[in-house]
Amino acid sequence: GGNNAGHTVVVDGKEYDFHLFPSGIINPKAISFIGNGVVIHLPGLFEEAEKNEKKGLKDWEKRLIISDRAHIVFDFHQAVDGLQEVQRQAQEGKNIGTTKKGIGPTYSSKAARTGLRICDLLSDFDEFSSRFKNLAQQYKSMFPTLEIDIEGQLKKLKGYAEKIRPMVRDGVYFMYEALHGSPKKILVEGANAALLDIDFGTYPFVTSSNCTVGGVCTGLGVPPQHVGDVYGVVKAYTTRVGIGAFPTEQINEIGELLQSRGHEWGVTTGRKRRCGWLDLVILKYAHMINGFTALALTKLDILDVLDEIKIGVAYKLGGKRIPYFPANQEILQKVEVEYETMPGWKTDTTGARKWEDLPPKAQNYIRCVENHVGVPVKWVGVGKSRESMIQLF
């Protein structure tokens, strides 16, 4: 992905919003690496740096490494993203609900083999300029209303090239050395969610990249044998941003309660997220693709006030249970959800710091998730701060 996804990280009472920066950038002992699978909007990167410097982020440029094989998001990609959404709305009466950050058009350029990468920007600038002009021309012919200040953009890009040059490395060699050098912990962070994956998500209401575990190999150049534990991060209820089928959605006071208590609006766009009961069909499907070794169940505290809590355990089509997650959106709209209902715990869990601190009914809820999915829950989140993460084993 790119700066379409956002991660909010709270450390020592400070709240950071990260889009292109890996979340580990806060840790002065960690090296942060942006891989080849990421698409990078350079103005966005420096804007993000500036915002977080104001919050106390220091020396990030000494800890950040950027792969020279990463594709570049240009301003015209972002303009085209907006125009395409307007077109979809006009032609089909619905759009995808993209973040208009130019992500789709950049991956389109990549797949069409007309994209430009960080290595091109840092090599022969004349060659880069002529390829940039060709790409800009292609888009202008497709979108006659598109205006591109070619010379102005090239001038800015030349400036960015010098700013990022010290951070850029051959990403494949960098990862190879990281894996084979002195032993170290390597944590890979994906953008977006499994159900937004271009191959496995609720197509066409998805992002343009692989945000499932396969992205570790293709997005960084890490051979599969090096992938160790795979952690699934899942809320204690289900949310979705933008349109697309959502079988357990609650368009009622339950949905509104989850939305307001959970502060469910996107960190990139500020859009409200749709909310519903935890959908274990989706979670099992994500597990089929990713092979989770453990789960982090977050936002348990949002459910603290509910009298009863439902969990979606199966989908039915024509009254029959189906064992798979349907690919087709129209079929997905038609499924009937089978629920299990559990009593709520009606207790404030935000102060819990260990398993024993959780009310028995909350413990039962967590065990129910584990049993259905067949994956242990290793962490339970009961608040925003790092201290609010209960580690179970």
Side-chain angles (χ1 to χ4, degrees), residues 213-254:
V213 75
V216 176
C217 302
T218 54
L220 289 168
V222 171
Q225 69 199 56
H226 289 289
V227 177
D229 288 309
V230 180
Y231 300 129
V233 181
V234 59
K235 289 175 192 167
Y237 51 96
T238 299
T239 64
R240 144 142 239 168
V241 74
I243 53 178
F246 184 175
T248 64
E249 182 172 15
Q250 298 299 301
I251 307 170
N252 51 28
E253 57 279 10
I254 296 283

Side-chain angles (χ1 to χ4, degrees), residues 107-279:
Y107 281 111
S108 299
S109 297
K110 177 178 173 173
R113 295 162 292 194
T114 50
L116 284 157
R117 301 184 292 173
I118 297 287
C119 58
D120 303 317
L121 174 64
L122 298 189
S123 183
D124 179 344
F125 197 75
D126 290 337
E127 171 66 16
F128 175 86
S129 301
S130 79
R131 285 175 62 192
F132 177 86
K133 285 173 189 166
N134 286 343
L135 187 58
Q137 250 359 95
Q138 276 176 25
Y139 276 116
K140 277 172 83 94
S141 59
M142 281 193 286
F143 300 92
T145 58
L146 185 67
E147 285 173 21
I148 306 174
D149 171 10
I150 290 181
E151 292 311 322
Q153 290 202 21
L154 281 169
K155 198 178 154 194
K156 281 186 181 156
L157 284 159
K158 196 165 190 164
Y160 287 126
E162 294 323 303
K163 282 177 92 166
I164 65 161
R165 196 179 290 278
M167 301 174 221
V168 176
R169 302 257 188 99
D170 184 297
V172 174
Y173 184 63
F174 172 75
M175 283 311 302
Y176 181 82
E177 286 206 295
L179 290 162
H180 294 89
S182 56
K184 54 187 75 60
K185 283 187 179 150
I186 299 175
L187 176 68
V188 181
E189 173 183 31
N192 308 102
L195 270 281
L196 289 180
D197 185 273
I198 182 80
D199 284 292
F200 302 112
T202 51
Y203 194 90
F205 307 106
V206 293
T207 191
S208 306
S209 59
N210 287 112
C211 21
T212 39
V213 75
V216 176
C217 302
T218 54
L220 289 168
V222 171
Q225 69 199 56
H226 289 289
V227 177
D229 288 309
V230 180
Y231 300 129
V233 181
V234 59
K235 289 175 192 167
Y237 51 96
T238 299
T239 64
R240 144 142 239 168
V241 74
I243 53 178
F246 184 175
T248 64
E249 182 172 15
Q250 298 299 301
I251 307 170
N252 51 28
E253 57 279 10
I254 296 283
E256 281 170 23
L257 177 99
L258 293 170
Q259 196 178 59
S260 61
R261 276 184 61 84
H263 301 291
E264 292 295 349
W265 33 89
V267 62
T268 300
T269 57
R271 286 182 297 182
K272 283 187 167 180
R273 295 198 191 99
R274 298 153 62 194
C275 300
W277 296 118
L278 183 58
D279 186 333

Side-chain angles (χ1 to χ4, degrees), residues 341-353:
T341 306
M342 307 182 78
W345 44 91
K346 306 284 284 180
T347 320
D348 179 3
T349 59
T350 53
R353 292 297 174 261

